[in-house]
Amino acid sequence: MTERRSARETLSLVTDDTTFTELPYPARESKPDGPLAWQGYDASRARAADRTGESESVVCGTATVAGTRAVLIAFEFGYLGGSLGEHTGDRLEAAYTYAREHRLPVVPLVATGGSRMQEGMIALTQLQRVARQSALTREAGLPQIAVLRDPTTGGGWATLGAGADVILALPDAQVGFAGSRVRPPDADPTAYTAEAQVAAGAADAVVEPEELRETLGRWLRLLTTPWVGQAPVPAALGASDLPATGWEAVQRARSLQRPRAERYLDTYFTHRLAISGDRCGGTDAGMLCGFGEREGRTVAYAAQAGTATRPAGYRTAARLIRLAERLGIPVLTLVDTPGAANDAEAERQGAGAAIADLFGAVASARTPLTTLLIGEGGSGGALALAAPGNTWATPDSYFSVIAPESAAAILKRPPEEAEATADQLRVRPQDLAELGIIRTRPV
């Protein structure tokens, strides 16, 4: 299990040397034994202060992380289990307010058991304060990157953690809404781990402690240095000549030798970092989403990897586009799918609603979107990711209302007429350009 570090040890782990400056904390008059007059509460706080050297469960300040300045919020689990009370809320509100006033990203380094029992509902309502501060910071276009330490449970997970734009976690950290003392006795403990949250699409990545500063610094740089204007169209990496027939276009796009999304992304970006998951319990390895550096500036990307796209993939892409829009980062999308997954499980996972959500995200995006069709463009499952008016195509791609074989079946034609149907559908890049659907020559 990863070592459980104190708040200040964690700050030292992620910040550049001697750059951390603690913020001043708001003064609030304390009633004896807190707002509920909980007998022995003052004594508990005094013991916690003696044990940790802290006066509350969070330490807030500014620092540079691998060269990028940010507001950091580090929880001290040794102080009453890192629990949130009224004074904690004061500190968190002050930290978020400072971030907005100085246009700085926010990095919560979370380690908490939840709300403080000795303050009852006063403690629980601090979650509303935190949620409002996070929402105001989101509206201000400032990124929030959470780091989940051990443990991250209760309201701290459900606000500062799960509410962040990007969620990183330390290995083996206990992460879940239910803390260890309130779970069902037969609950599977492996479900309450950082690794399980990443697998379920609720967090983006597990990061080793020795890699945390550099990874966090890369994320901060990417999310605060947007490319200005539309993202450039990637150069075609495969065939250079246009297909003679519709069926040839289909066969080229389905070829295993054709360049796929990973190659395009590796060629386009100096380096990139991925987001993962739809925050609704799902992931899709066939939808690659994240942010990459190109000529020192950031472009977001959502790229289909050639498989049938799952509902979680569409929701993840919609999440990516909305995040990029808030941060003023242009988006590159790569279209390559035979179509949306259409099995029974996809229907149970809300395929229609997920595709509709992505259509809506693309249609309403105020940040520039650029699309390159690099392979198969199968029906609405592909079109949902395409930028209206700024979609380009490579010579080894096609776009169709549906696959020619399926079109033939719908039209009650025999299977051998699929090739002729492809020509009638006019799926070639040059056909699509003539129809005004796409542009054919990346620049």
Side-chain angles (χ1 to χ4, degrees), residues 246-247 249-250 253-254 335 337-340 373 375-384 397-408 410-411 418 421-429 431-432 435 437-438:
W247 189 246
V250 172
R254 292 176 178 174
V335 172
T337 179
L373 173 66
E376 290 195 83
S379 196
L383 187 65
S397 66
Y398 81 92
F399 225 142
S400 179
V401 62
I402 201 166
E405 297 91 337
S406 298
I410 290 170
L411 295 170
T421 302
D423 283 327
Q424 289 180 294
L425 289 169
R426 301 196 66 192
V427 302
R428 300 176 303 169
D431 296 326
L432 298 167
L435 294 169
I437 305 299
I438 57 95

Side-chain angles (χ1 to χ4, degrees), residues 304-323:
Q304 289 167 318
T307 57
T309 305
R310 310 294 304 177
Y314 292 113
R315 285 191 286 262
T316 304
R319 172 192 158 210
L320 180 280
I321 290 169
R322 292 187 174 112
L323 173 56

